[in-house]
Amino acid sequence: GGLVVALACGAAALLALGLVLPWTAVDGGFAGLVLAHAALRLIVERRLGGCTGDTLGAVQQVAEVGLYLGVLACL
């Protein structure tokens, strides 16, 4: 249930972003978000063997920066 809500909220946010930005920028932002999230998550899981609350927050912040950089790169 929680995953469905999270996916719905993420999709709504991307659709809202698509109303103010070109879709290429939205696609680039999503790609940046996914790449940043996956990269830091791999590093954290290999070094620490799992996630803690602090590393989860760090992954979220890095993913957000990845989104911004992806949008900026496409604009």
Side-chain angles (χ1 to χ4, degrees):
L3 180 60
V4 172
V5 172
L7 288 173
C9 289
L14 285 176
L15 288 174
L17 192 60
L19 294 175
V20 295
L21 292 174
W23 281 104
T24 55
V26 175
D27 291 341
F30 184 69
L33 182 146
V34 169
L35 289 173
H37 173 91
L40 188 57
R41 185 172 173 184
L42 271 173
I43 291 169
V44 165
E45 287 182 353
R46 283 187 183 171
R47 290 226 167 155
L48 299 177
C51 284
T52 66
D54 290 338
T55 58
L56 184 62
V59 168
Q60 184 275 327
Q61 291 293 306
V62 170
E64 186 176 347
V65 170
L67 172 79
Y68 297 147
L69 290 176
V71 167
L72 186 63
C74 290
L75 291 177

